Amino acid sequence: MQTTLRPSGKGLSRRDLFGLGATVFGSAVARIARAGQSARRVVVWSEGTAPVDKVYPDDVNTAIAAGLRRLLPEWQVETAGLDSPEQGCTEESLQRCDVLIWWGHKRHGEVKDAYVDRIERRVKQEGMGFIAVHSAHFAKPNKRLMGTRCGWAAYKTDGCRLEVEIKEPNHPISAGVSAFTLPQIERYSEPYQVPAPDAVPLAGTYVYPDGRREPTRVGLCWTIGKGRMFYFAPGHETYPNLNRPEVQRVFANAVQWAAASR
Ligand code: ZN
């Protein structure tokens, strides 16, 4: 409802006052309803192997969470990891989780299959969103949800940069994101062994130190059962790309997109 106040001096009519009262009452009811609903919740999970003397002294998940807290103030943003109770995958936590973001690298094998079962059920049957980042392509939940080996053809840290382009500007994950460059990156070469995605909002080109160029997919989307899934290829633990505002915007968009199926 829209209420227009008359210029001062003319006073408010009975109708104005009624309208104003209804508006104030309506927004108060909406606020109470939102509070009662418990805020939407995203959990950012990490295995805890980012070097403490490098760019993510408090781990990768903390950096991703900081961007989400800045851009999604209405969301409840939490972090979890291998050392959390039940490896950060308690039933209670997953039940309240609208979107789970996962970063792992060296400790994929330590994640218990029982917890992967829970994640799979929450995504496929109950519509929880799942976002895998960079080296989490080999994480158990990522492989389970994709149903494929999830390998890339090559892995190189050879001084490449990545020029990211917005392939699908109308996709929600592209909202407010312009083309940007990540000056240092770990290169994952195509093909990425996954099912055909529903959408590839972000693509890009690796540019080698000698100028050679190699195209790649950067951000891929799938629907898995009732859930939405996004994979973001950059995110190596020794480059500060996850702190960049463009990347933080992509994550905030991806969280909102992945939660939308619920
Ligand atoms: Zn890496």
Side-chain angles (χ1 to χ4, degrees), residues 15-92:
R15 180 176 295 194
D16 288 333
L17 286 170
F18 177 77
L20 181 62
T23 302
V24 171
F25 178 73
S27 62
V29 167
R31 256 199 320 277
I32 290 163
R34 275 198 301 274
Q37 264 172 15
S38 73
R40 289 197 295 176
R41 181 168 174 271
V42 54
V43 174
V44 194
W45 191 99
S46 176
E47 63 177 26
T49 54
V52 293
D53 59 343
K54 293 280 189 350
V55 293
Y56 304 110
D58 298 317
D59 208 358
V60 169
N61 55 349
T62 305
I64 294 172
L68 294 175
R69 289 193 181 105
R70 182 173 68 80
L71 293 166
L72 301 176
E74 70 279 16
W75 276 70
Q76 192 180 339
V77 180
E78 291 180 16
T79 54
L82 267 183
D83 299 329
S84 306
E86 299 186 27
Q87 300 187 329
C89 299
T90 66
E91 274 290 0
E92 188 275 336

Side-chain angles (χ1 to χ4, degrees), residues 172-189:
I173 291 179
S174 306
V177 185
S178 304
F180 60 95
T181 296
L182 301 177
Q184 276 188 301
I185 195 124
E186 181 185 23
R187 171 164 53 89
Y188 286 180
S189 286

Side-chain angles (χ1 to χ4, degrees), residues 103 105 134-135 157 186 188 235-238:
W103 187 94
H105 181 205
H134 186 61
S135 39
T157 307
E186 181 185 23
Y188 286 180
H236 188 66
E237 63 271 21
T238 61

